[in-house]
């Protein structure tokens, strides 16, 4: 009888112990992937919606998968990622973290959604070799570069876009960003450094109906492809100065519609 009990206990131990070890060892890995970044800077009123609660953002706060970050007017927040990569959310912006990946055992975002406002992204180090995508309600931007700005707005029209009131703007400083219309999924364009792209509403980027929006540039020209319009940034890199300008003494040219 004693030997039978010992045999039963031995078999139970052989099953229970590995199970407990698997659970214990799996907790750090799960935690690493659920945390996708850390708040490094915050200015003004910024909050994170997590589950059914809202958390005020403070420096060193971990950002988790499925978090929604919301910035108020005149507020901004920077989230540090793997290898000094970072994302900076501008005023009146909303960003969700939808999917993540593990890079050198550390969780990092792989897919996000910008519901409004603007985000500045810098991808360096190990993150450059991993997929990185930011969606808006009407566009998909996939990173093949290191630094770019993405903004989404709705509710106002622009010259050359008829009744469209939904726009995604991508401005690339370094590398290349692939931009496509999210509602059609076709006609993707690679936007290189020093260029910008605009996606308007749900027009397929391969179909060019917006002839009036394809302004002739003095230096380099412009590529207007359906709902995606490509342009060249000002040589001064001063975005506010470029708005409303058609020519820059430094040689760069921008659309007068921005």
């Amino acid at each position: 009888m004693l030997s039978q009990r010992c045999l039963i206990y031995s078999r139970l131990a052989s099953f229970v112990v590995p199970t407990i070890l698997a659970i214990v060892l799996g907790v750090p890995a799960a935690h690493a992937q659920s945390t996708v970044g850390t708040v490094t800077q915050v200015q003004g009123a910024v909050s994170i919606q997590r589950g059914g609660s809202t958390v005020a953002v403070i420096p060193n706060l971990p950002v988790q998968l499925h978090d929604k970050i919301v910035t108020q007017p005149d507020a901004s927040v920077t989230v540090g990622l793997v290898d000094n990569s970072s994302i900076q959310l501008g005023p009146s912006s909303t960003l969700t973290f939808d999917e993540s990946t593990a890079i050198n055992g550390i969780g990092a975002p792989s897919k996000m959604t910008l519901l409004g406002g603007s985000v500045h992204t810098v991808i360096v180090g190990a993150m450059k070799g991993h997929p990185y995508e930011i969606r808006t309600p009407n566009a998909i931007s996939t990173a093949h570069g290191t630094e770019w700005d993405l903004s989404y707005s709705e509710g106002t029209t622009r010259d050359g876009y008829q009744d469209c009131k939904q726009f995604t703007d991508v401005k690339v400083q370094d590398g290349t960003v692939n931009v496509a219309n999210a509602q059609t999924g076709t006609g993707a364009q690679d936007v290189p450094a020093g260029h910008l792209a605009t996606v308007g509403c749900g027009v397929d980027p391969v179909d060019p109906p917006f002839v009036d929006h394809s302004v002739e540039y003095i230096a380099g020209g412009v590529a207007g492809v359906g709902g995606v319009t490509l342009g060249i940034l000002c040589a001064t890199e001063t975005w506010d100065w470029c708005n409303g300008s058609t020519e820059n003494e430094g040689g760069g040219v921008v659309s007068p519609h921005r």
Side-chain angles (χ1 to χ4, degrees), residues 164-189:
C164 179
K165 296 182 179 181
Q166 187 181 44
F167 297 97
T168 296
D169 296 299
V170 179
K171 182 176 65 172
V172 183
Q173 286 85 33
D174 190 18
T176 302
V177 177
N178 185 270
V179 181
N181 196 297
Q183 299 177 13
T184 63
T186 57
Q189 295 286 323

Side-chain angles (χ1 to χ4, degrees), residues 142-161:
T142 306
H144 300 290
T146 56
E147 185 174 4
W148 74 99
D149 292 305
L150 176 68
S151 64
Y152 174 75
S153 62
E154 58 184 29
T156 58
T157 59
R158 296 185 186 180
D159 292 343
Y161 283 97

Side-chain angles (χ1 to χ4, degrees), residues 97-110:
F97 295 83
D98 306 321
E99 296 184 17
S100 66
T101 186
I103 300 177
N104 297 332
I106 301 174
S110 58

Side-chain angles (χ1 to χ4, degrees), residues 86-100:
S86 65
I87 56 175
Q88 182 179 25
L89 201 60
S92 302
S93 302
T94 302
L95 182 74
T96 64
F97 295 83
D98 306 321
E99 296 184 17
S100 66

Side-chain angles (χ1 to χ4, degrees), residues 45-66:
V46 183
S47 62
I48 287 181
Q49 297 177 13
R50 181 176 297 166
S53 61
T54 300
V55 180
V57 171
I58 58 174
N60 300 319
L61 178 71
V63 177
Q64 298 181 4
L65 184 62
H66 305 307

